[in-house]
Amino acid sequence: MAQSGAALGSATSSGNSLVAQPTSTLDIRITGLDGLRGFMTLMVVISHFFAELPHGISAFGFGFFGVIGFFALSGFLIGRLILEKKDHANFMTVFYVRRFCRMIPPFFLVLAIILGLYALFGHYHWSDVDVAFPWWSYVLFIQNFFMVSANSIGGHWLAPTWTLAVEEHFYLIVPAALLFTPRRHLLKGLIAVGIASLMFRICIFGFGMAPNVTGRVILPAVADTLVCGLIAAVLFKTEGIRWEKYDWALRIIPLVTFMATAVIVFLENGNGPLFPTIGTTLLAIGAS
């Protein structure tokens, strides 16, 4: 990566012209991450269309794996962005304007279409509107709290939007957390948050302290998946780490964590507390 950045950053002169050069590693597109994002998207789409419906094929129900990967990737990319740009005077303004322009217009368009379809066809059983949440809960990105209150994902066509709510809550918190936490305490703080999130899920799925949906759709319950990505970003931006020394570990750890998760799923047959607790964390570590 460092060598590629140096190569891309070298100026090339032709006459009086000078080729523009990247000013940071953020200007270098990592195609591998694009491919990973596309793969995880396919996982979610296949799961929704072929598994999460009556008489669906349970073997295709791996969408949650893709969601965890998305969260880890989001934590890494946002963490890397904040750590690299945080000293710019207008960082916070640019950060939130870009997040708004990237997410809000397409989401509101889809929301308007689906709510219109609900108004026209919501009385038919195939619309799957057993529990309807107010439209403004989606606009304000608080639909996940309604899911917890009702112990239901609500209308199925809008159910996946809980991930957007988690992302928006994450965006509200993490810039300030990274900006105001001293760098020497950052990794320790992130690890503490990740452990607290895992303990929260154990209390939910292991001891029944809240409805199971709570452990899946709100930020405190899935914070460790995003934090794993943040930790990867902090390490990535830490100077002096000789990554070639850890090449074997970086290749082996994802295989070990994914295989361990697969074993947990097989042993529990989808009906135990280990996968939604420890399995989720293992997936996030492997993805990161």
Side-chain angles (χ1 to χ4, degrees):
M1 176 64 70
Q3 292 173 346
S4 299
L8 286 171
S10 61
T12 306
S13 299
S14 177
N16 295 324
S17 64
L18 184 66
V19 177
Q21 50 187 295
T23 58
S24 71
T25 57
L26 291 173
D27 296 313
I28 304 172
R29 192 173 190 90
I30 305 176
T31 55
L33 296 185
D34 290 339
L36 182 62
R37 183 185 290 110
F39 179 69
M40 292 184 297
T41 300
L42 286 176
M43 293 176 68
V44 174
V45 170
I46 291 172
S47 181
H48 280 308
F49 275 85
F50 297 103
E52 300 171 23
L53 71 172
H55 311 295
I57 304 173
S58 59
F60 291 149
F62 38 60
F64 193 66
F65 289 54
V67 171
I68 298 304
F70 265 120
F71 282 155
L73 180 59
S74 180
F76 172 73
L77 294 176
I78 293 300
R80 189 168 67 114
L81 171 67
I82 295 171
L83 292 171
E84 188 154 316
K85 302 291 188 181
K86 63 184 178 67
D87 294 328
H88 292 200
N90 62 343
F91 166 72
M92 295 294 279
T93 300
V94 173
F95 177 84
Y96 284 113
V97 168
R98 290 185 65 180
R99 302 282 79 71
F100 180 92
C101 293
R102 179 171 294 185
M103 298 180 66
I104 300 302
F107 172 65
F108 278 11
L109 175 61
V110 171
L111 181 62
I113 292 172
I114 294 180
L115 290 175
L117 291 173
Y118 276 165
L120 292 173
F121 305 110
H123 57 286
Y124 292 102
H125 73 278
W126 48 262
S127 67
D128 282 329
V129 193
D130 297 329
V131 179
F133 303 142
W135 62 269
W136 49 265
S137 66
Y138 297 98
V139 173
L140 297 177
F141 294 102
I142 57 174
Q143 64 271 43
N144 50 351
F145 295 112
F146 279 84
M147 293 177 181
V148 170
S149 176
N151 194 25
S152 167
I153 59 174
H156 280 63
W157 295 358
L158 287 174
T161 63
W162 70 266
T163 60
L164 283 178
V166 168
E167 290 271 3
E168 291 297 326
H169 301 162
F170 174 69
Y171 293 154
L172 289 175
I173 296 173
V174 72
L178 295 190
L179 283 173
F180 297 112
T181 302
R183 187 64 178 263
R184 64 183 183 277
H185 298 311
L186 192 52
L187 275 179
K188 292 181 288 187
L190 290 173
I191 292 172
V193 171
I195 293 174
S197 177
L198 174 59
M199 294 299 103
F200 183 45
R201 284 203 311 278
I202 290 175
C203 290
I204 293 170
F205 292 103
F207 301 98
M209 295 181 64
N212 281 354
V213 69
T214 309
R216 300 184 184 275
V217 302
I218 62 173
L219 180 59
V222 298
D224 59 328
T225 60
L226 291 149
V227 162
C228 283
L230 287 175
I231 291 174
V234 172
L235 294 174
F236 182 78
K237 297 301 296 180
T238 299
E239 296 181 0
I241 297 181
R242 298 179 58 189
W243 288 106
E244 63 273 12
K245 292 176 55 179
Y246 307 103
D247 182 72
W248 65 272
L250 294 173
R251 295 175 184 275
I252 293 297
I253 289 174
L255 296 177
V256 172
T257 56
F258 294 159
M259 289 178 63
T261 306
V263 170
I264 289 173
V265 172
F266 175 77
L267 293 177
E268 290 191 327
N269 195 26
N271 296 310
L274 287 180
F275 173 68
T277 53
I278 298 174
T280 298
T281 304
L282 288 174
L283 282 177
I285 291 172
S288 299

